[in-house]
Amino acid sequence: MVIILIEYLTIIPARKNSKRVKRKNIVLIKKKELITYTFKHAIGSNYKKNIIVSTDDKKIIKLSKRYKLNFLERPKQLSGSNISTEEVINHTLKTLYGKNYYAKVKNVILLQPTSPLRTIENINQAKRKFKKEKYDSLFSGFLSKKFIWTYNKKLKSISYNFKRRKRTQDMQNLIFENGAIFIFSTKGFYKNKNRLFGRIGFFEMEERQSIDLDTKKDLNLLKKIIN
């Protein structure tokens, strides 16, 4: 029996409940549910049959059907706010392809619904870089030179020495994950139970594309930006 290896499986994790923005995955932006932007990105960068939506939301299931996408109903024990995305990925792969899922799926593309400003071309370019550079895993983000501090009862500068303040142009670029695109091998994920491992790659996106909807402020900004 010949097993056809899926080169890329796109997983879209989308649970029902959210804290800061109620049901943010289906909030309307320009009369379109937020998750539908990611549906279009997934369809434009992979075969429909190799896209799976993991959700516990009946509304998202209906939307998946509208876009003719496969979906996997997430069990209650994997739908809480304390559940990691890694647990959802593992459940999806094991449910669809069995314990040794790495023998049937080579790589996973993880697309979170809260990044509507990524583009299809971003994903395709990230795939090309992942393959060309032979990375084990890859994440998207943006570069920036910022004066960053932390606060835990006391202020502490972490991206520069405030006693020897540099000009912005002389500072080192910092990489900020934006949550828009993750690509990783299933073999590595099986071993590490983490989306990032081994030889890690970085795919650069513009800072303006990197809004990850988490607060009402993010939502209001997205409503202004998206046409």
Side-chain angles (χ1 to χ4, degrees):
M1 182 179 177
V2 178
I3 297 175
I4 299 175
L5 186 67
I6 297 171
E7 186 172 7
Y8 292 101
L9 177 74
T10 300
I11 297 178
I12 303 172
R15 71 185 184 91
K16 182 177 181 179
N17 295 316
S18 52
K19 292 182 178 180
R20 285 176 285 271
V21 179
K22 188 176 180 181
R23 299 193 70 186
K24 64 182 178 181
N25 288 325
I26 58 170
V27 70
L28 292 178
I29 299 180
K30 302 299 181 182
K31 299 181 180 181
K32 297 178 183 177
E33 295 86 352
L34 178 69
I35 197 169
T36 62
Y37 291 90
T38 293
F39 283 175
K40 291 177 180 178
H41 300 158
I43 293 167
S45 59
N46 204 353
Y47 299 109
K48 273 191 177 183
K49 65 178 182 179
N50 293 340
I51 301 169
I52 184 76
V53 182
S54 169
T55 188
D56 62 326
D57 192 326
K58 299 299 182 184
K59 173 70 173 179
I60 292 176
I61 288 174
K62 286 183 179 179
L63 288 169
S64 300
K65 289 179 179 178
R66 185 193 302 173
Y67 282 80
K68 298 181 180 179
L69 295 177
N70 296 317
F71 62 89
L72 179 63
E73 290 196 59
R74 195 185 301 183
K76 188 175 181 180
Q77 63 267 29
L78 286 179
S79 300
S81 59
N82 61 333
I83 298 300
S84 70
T85 301
E86 273 72 10
E87 290 176 275
V88 174
I89 296 167
N90 189 57
H91 169 261
T92 302
L93 290 169
K94 285 181 70 174
T95 301
L96 294 177
Y97 302 103
K99 184 178 179 181
N100 297 327
Y101 51 74
Y102 52 84
K104 298 177 183 178
V105 179
K106 187 175 182 181
N107 304 300
V108 166
I109 301 172
L110 178 68
L111 300 179
Q112 300 181 129
T114 48
S115 299
L117 297 179
R118 79 164 85 73
T119 66
I120 292 169
E121 186 56 26
N122 287 151
I123 301 168
N124 287 333
Q125 287 175 346
K127 284 167 64 178
R128 289 194 288 270
K129 185 171 185 178
F130 177 80
K131 186 173 183 178
K132 182 180 178 180
E133 301 296 333
K134 298 180 180 179
Y135 290 125
D136 299 304
S137 57
L138 174 147
F139 69 91
S140 64
F142 63 93
L143 293 173
S144 186
K145 297 179 180 181
K146 295 182 183 291
F147 298 95
I148 300 174
W149 294 68
T150 59
Y151 180 75
N152 184 13
K153 296 183 179 180
K154 186 179 179 181
L155 282 167
K156 182 181 179 181
S157 59
I158 60 174
S159 67
Y160 76 109
N161 183 346
F162 70 90
K163 294 180 181 179
R164 297 180 180 177
R165 192 180 189 96
K166 295 181 179 180
R167 298 180 304 164
T168 303
Q169 58 266 42
D170 295 328
M171 290 181 66
Q172 185 176 6
N173 268 316
L174 297 175
I175 297 176
F176 292 79
E177 275 190 36
N178 64 9
I181 305 167
F182 292 94
I183 306 177
F184 49 88
S185 77
T186 53
K187 278 188 178 180
F189 180 82
Y190 180 84
K191 181 179 179 181
N192 295 279
K193 295 298 184 286
N194 195 307
R195 74 190 83 175
L196 295 176
F197 50 82
R199 188 162 181 263
I200 301 173
F202 163 64
F203 176 72
E204 184 180 356
M205 291 172 57
E206 294 179 16
E207 186 171 355
R208 64 168 297 278
Q209 294 179 288
S210 298
I211 300 173
D212 182 15
L213 197 160
D214 187 50
T215 66
K216 289 183 179 180
K217 183 179 178 181
D218 297 330
L219 176 58
N220 291 333
L221 185 56
L222 283 171
K223 285 181 177 180
K224 292 177 182 178
I225 292 175
I226 293 178
N227 297 320

